[in-house]
Amino acid sequence: MRMYDIIHKKRCGLALDEAEIRFFVEGYTRGDIPDYQASALCMAICCRGMTSGETAVLTDAIMRSGDVVDLSMFGDLSVDKHSTGGVGDKTSLIVAPVVASLGGKMAKMSGRGLGHTGGTVDKLESIAGYRTSMTREEFIETVKNVGVCVVGQSGDLAPADKKLYALRDVTATVDCVPLIASSIMGKKLAAGAKSIVLDVKAGSGAFMKTVDDARKLADEMIRVGTMCGRNVRALVTNMDIPLGHNVGNSLEVVEAVRVLRGEQKGDLYEICVALASNLVSMFKKISVQESQLMVAKSIESGAAFAKMKEWIAAQGGDVSMIEDTLKLPRAPYSREIASPCDGYISHMNTEGIGLCASLLGAGRVNKGDSIDFGAGIELAKKTGDYVGKGEKIATLHASNEALFADAKEKFLSSLEFSDKKTGKPQLIF
Ligand code: URA
């Protein structure tokens, strides 16, 4: 088999067979196929597409390129969730303990933030002592005893994706449904859970800018996951507005704690209930409606918050920071942003808001950059809210006052105002 022929076949719009796809993924992972041929094939896939069958084989090959976690000891109880990434998206911090409090086994490998999006691992590391790296045995043991364990992605999981993603990033081949679907699902399937809920974000702060594109990606990921023998559901949710009120690592932990204590309702609570209910419905084999009641009760009764504390303690985190969130890292400087005019906030460019948080030190521009756990944004107003001129829209937090000027400019340039009442945006599509 020759890579040249595989590239040519895809360039002509023909479907690749299983052997050809595996030849490519295995050869590229081993280093036998050079980057220029792999990138030519990725580009041909972007231009010509793939059938669901081809995408399923590509996913399977990516999954098998490294370790595959065996969660079979948990039977149908093993669950996982994945978000395609966004701004203020701290849903995993809430959904994981809720689901574990109801008997699910959440064995989760999460990522770090990059660019304008946040990552669960960074948020958890704002809790002193929390270990995001564990041996495979410790990981499984924690899931067994506590019902939840959240660690960073092990280097041995789906190495083909690691190489391919870095290549796609620099060859304009990221935004392509079969390549994104196989990249995400290859990793999720390798992580081993039987039931998976995908939170596919749509809007200015997401990868998929339109609901239609997000739906196509969601459909493909469900198809591929199902073909590989997993139960997969997806929600397409709004990322044209930051989720919740806080953006930034420890600020997001604070907000997650508020939701788990039953002190905060609204968009974040509703999306978490929807995601958690779907997972509970899958592992308990009951309706989503019935699951919703159980999820709400777990939060109201304090069971979910108790589970969060148990989980954080099991991974070495300082639980007193969860009990008293004033102990979490806080940036020493704050700056309020006042509205420049009277009117309704008609749109928030959510990528811009995420970049503003990064400018404050909450995110990284390049992989490996260090982050400031206490930095970020607290939003007092969001899309649909009325603000009077001079009224507070947000508070910025940073460790260096010099960061406020650029961040403020980025924040204000991300907002649009209107005289007309715009209404609250739809949350779940
Ligand atoms: N996230 C991934 O893991 N892979 C992609 O291709 C896009 C987003």
Side-chain angles (χ1 to χ4, degrees):
M1 215 173 277
R2 292 192 319 158
M3 195 55 199
Y4 179 96
D5 300 323
I6 296 173
I7 298 166
H8 188 259
K9 187 172 175 184
K10 182 46 73 186
R11 202 192 90 183
C12 295
L14 300 172
L16 302 178
D17 64 34
E18 178 162 351
E20 289 163 334
I21 294 171
R22 292 196 190 280
F23 174 84
F24 160 59
V25 174
E26 287 163 18
Y28 184 57
T29 310
R30 274 196 311 268
D32 295 348
I33 293 168
D35 281 350
Y36 53 82
Q37 286 189 313
S39 60
L41 182 61
C42 287
M43 187 57 82
I45 292 170
C46 284
C47 298
R48 293 304 208 152
M50 274 186 143
T51 63
S52 293
E54 286 177 286
T55 309
V57 174
L58 181 58
T59 306
D60 187 76
I62 290 174
M63 170 185 82
R64 289 177 204 281
S65 66
D67 287 353
V68 175
V69 182
D70 179 11
L71 298 178
S72 58
M73 71 286 269
F74 301 121
D76 287 347
L77 295 179
S78 63
V79 290
D80 199 353
K81 87 163 258 291
H82 179 83
S83 157
T84 55
V87 177
D89 181 3
K90 68 283 288 175
T91 53
S92 290
L93 303 181
I94 300 163
V95 171
V98 166
V99 169
S101 75
L102 293 167
K105 298 290 183 190
M106 175 76 80
K108 188 159 169 48
M109 296 199 185
S110 288
R112 294 188 182 277
L114 186 65
H116 73 283
T117 65
T120 302
V121 164
D122 295 327
K123 293 168 203 184
L124 287 167
E125 283 182 351
S126 69
I127 304 167
Y130 186 94
R131 290 168 60 212
T132 52
S133 173
M134 289 175 124
T135 65
R136 189 59 55 86
E137 292 70 31
E138 287 174 317
F139 179 63
I140 297 290
E141 212 40 38
T142 308
V143 176
K144 205 179 278 174
N145 297 334
V146 184
V148 49
C149 190
V150 183
V151 294
Q153 195 122 12
S154 124
D156 305 326
L157 208 86
D161 179 64
K162 200 162 274 174
K163 280 190 85 172
L164 275 172
Y165 193 86
L167 185 74
R168 287 166 55 214
D169 209 17
V170 291
T171 54
T173 53
V174 170
D175 53 343
C176 159
V177 167
L179 293 180
I180 299 174
S182 55
S183 162
I184 291 176
M185 292 308 289
K187 287 182 290 235
K188 284 287 113 181
L189 298 180
K194 178 79 182 158
S195 299
I196 302 163
V197 164
L198 304 165
D199 182 2
V200 183
K201 306 286 189 190
S204 56
F207 219 44
M208 297 281 130
K209 301 297 178 202
T210 68
V211 174
D212 256 11
D213 284 346
R215 227 184 270 278
K216 278 186 201 133
L217 177 61
D219 281 343
E220 195 58 12
M221 290 196 286
I222 292 172
R223 250 196 304 270
V224 164
T226 308
M227 279 186 200
C228 295
R230 311 296 172 90
N231 305 319
V232 188
R233 293 185 193 171
L235 302 184
V236 174
T237 67
N238 196 341
M239 194 32 76
D240 215 30
I241 177 169
L243 188 51
H245 293 284
N246 292 5
V247 183
N249 300 288
S250 66
L251 287 167
E252 295 194 35
V253 175
V254 173
E255 196 173 20
V257 167
R258 279 207 294 262
V259 170
L260 284 168
R261 279 185 165 149
E263 295 164 1
Q264 180 176 316
K265 296 286 191 282
D267 58 356
L268 175 61
Y269 173 86
E270 282 174 41
I271 287 191
C272 288
V273 169
L275 293 167
S277 306
N278 271 283
L279 284 169
V280 171
S281 131
M282 284 198 275
F283 79 78
K284 282 193 185 287
K285 302 182 175 56
I286 57 175
S287 71
V288 174
Q289 286 74 11
E290 217 180 320
S291 307
Q292 262 165 4
L293 295 175
M294 298 174 90
V295 166
K297 200 163 162 207
S298 159
I299 295 175
E300 270 162 37
S301 68
F305 184 53
K307 184 55 78 178
M308 184 194 209
K309 290 194 282 183
E310 192 187 343
W311 155 42
I312 299 300
Q315 292 195 233
D318 180 352
V319 178
S320 77
M321 288 186 159
I322 300 298
E323 286 164 337
D324 176 5
T325 53
L326 289 173
K327 290 187 179 171
L328 281 163
R330 282 147 64 93
Y333 300 103
S334 299
R335 182 73 45 95
E336 287 193 359
I337 300 205
S339 175
C341 58
D342 293 325
Y344 292 93
I345 300 178
S346 56
H347 185 240
M348 299 177 93
N349 179 328
T350 306
E351 181 172 353
I353 307 287
L355 289 172
C356 168
S358 286
L359 288 174
L360 292 165
R364 17 177 114 66
V365 177
N366 296 303
K367 261 194 171 126
D369 285 355
S370 67
I371 50 173
D372 181 350
F373 290 125
I377 310 168
E378 283 180 278
L379 297 162
K381 303 282 180 189
K382 300 211 305 181
T383 308
D385 288 336
Y386 181 82
V387 277
K389 186 172 177 188
E391 196 179 344
K392 181 171 85 174
I393 304 182
T395 307
L396 309 184
H397 300 277
S399 293
N400 179 347
E401 284 186 291
L403 300 174
F404 286 133
D406 283 356
K408 180 180 171 190
E409 194 182 321
K410 186 80 210 167
F411 185 87
L412 285 173
S413 69
S414 304
L415 301 186
E416 287 171 29
F417 296 89
S418 164
D419 294 340
K420 296 191 194 74
K421 197 169 170 26
T422 40
K424 283 284 175 190
Q426 187 175 341
L427 268 184
I428 300 175
F429 298 109

